[in-house]
Amino acid sequence: MKRHCDLCDHQKLSLQKGDLCGLTNQKPEFNRTCTTIDFGNNLLDILEDILVDLEELKNTKKKVYKNVVSGSIVGVFLLICGYIIFDYFYNNELKAIILKFDKSSVDSIGFLIIVSGSVLITGYHYLKKAINNFSNHKNQLISLENYKLEIDEVLSLYNQKYKYKITFDKEVHGTQEIDIEIELT
């Protein structure tokens, strides 16, 4: 019921009673479809938000994939470098430092830990960030597609369809104009 009311222009919201029908000022009561539903501005506003967000996510798909690949490559490279640095110092320098343990050896061990640790942590950060960005993009896309599907299911109950056209104008100073035309059929 709520999905229907969210798309209807008659919807009224009350903090005490929740969703109300603006025609009766009562809670909506219908089985499968509402005989007085009015698809207008509410539906168009919701569709505009969802369709624009979906197109923006689809347009950034290549960029996200490039960032995943480049971030993963950089992350793995830094992890390998960190391991190699640690392995080199451990096998070559650390044995000599342990044999002649003095103040300079403590400094060398600290240097080993700081340098290799920093490289390893930086590599892990790049790798984790690349994977998280990909995962977030995918989850947002799935969420929006599911929401759009819910709206399409409600509209199909009323034999309503829509056509849309989205135009992304050139981005200027970080602001992009978006033109969208939605026609209910």
Side-chain angles (χ1 to χ4, degrees):
M1 223 182 282
K2 178 166 175 29
R3 293 186 312 172
H4 297 249
C5 296
D6 287 342
L7 304 177
C8 180
D9 279 352
H10 298 305
Q11 179 191 36
K12 284 176 64 176
L13 298 174
S14 168
L15 292 175
Q16 297 164 339
K17 296 181 182 179
D19 282 336
L20 299 176
C21 178
L23 297 175
T24 63
N25 286 327
Q26 299 293 320
K27 286 230 176 242
E29 292 184 26
F30 55 89
N31 289 328
R32 188 166 155 83
T33 61
C34 175
T35 57
T36 60
I37 198 162
D38 180 18
F39 294 119
N41 291 333
N42 280 2
L43 173 63
L44 293 175
D45 290 343
I46 290 170
L47 277 176
E48 182 177 321
D49 290 342
I50 291 172
L51 294 171
V52 167
D53 289 347
L54 264 173
E55 282 299 313
E56 286 177 334
L57 281 173
K58 288 177 183 177
N59 289 342
T60 60
K61 188 175 184 178
K62 276 186 181 178
K63 183 179 178 183
V64 169
Y65 283 3
K66 285 180 187 177
N67 288 341
V68 166
V69 170
S70 62
S72 297
I73 289 171
V74 169
V76 169
F77 175 76
L78 289 173
L79 287 171
I80 292 170
C81 288
Y83 173 77
I84 290 171
I85 291 170
F86 180 80
D87 188 54
Y88 173 79
F89 276 113
Y90 179 75
N91 288 328
N92 297 323
E93 302 293 326
L94 196 57
K95 290 177 185 174
I97 291 170
I98 292 172
L99 292 175
K100 64 165 195 155
F101 194 76
D102 59 8
K103 174 142 175 44
S104 66
S105 61
V106 173
D107 294 340
S108 296
I109 292 172
F111 178 75
L112 163 68
I113 292 170
I114 290 172
V115 169
S116 62
S118 296
V119 173
L120 286 169
I121 289 170
T122 304
Y124 172 76
H125 171 73
Y126 272 96
L127 190 59
K128 183 179 175 187
K129 185 176 179 184
I131 292 169
N132 283 345
N133 285 345
F134 174 75
S135 179
N136 289 340
H137 182 269
K138 185 177 178 182
N139 289 339
Q140 287 176 341
L141 193 59
I142 289 170
S143 175
L144 284 172
E145 286 174 341
N146 286 339
Y147 190 41
K148 181 183 174 293
L149 184 63
E150 286 179 12
I151 292 170
D152 292 345
E153 287 172 355
V154 170
L155 291 176
S156 70
L157 293 173
Y158 296 95
N159 294 322
Q160 290 285 312
K161 295 182 181 179
Y162 58 90
K163 296 178 187 176
Y164 67 94
K165 180 182 176 185
I166 300 175
T167 308
F168 290 90
D169 296 335
K170 190 174 182 178
E171 188 173 328
V172 179
H173 303 297
T175 303
Q176 186 170 28
E177 292 291 323
I178 302 170
D179 296 322
I180 182 167
E181 297 172 20
I182 302 173
E183 178 185 337
L184 294 175
T185 58

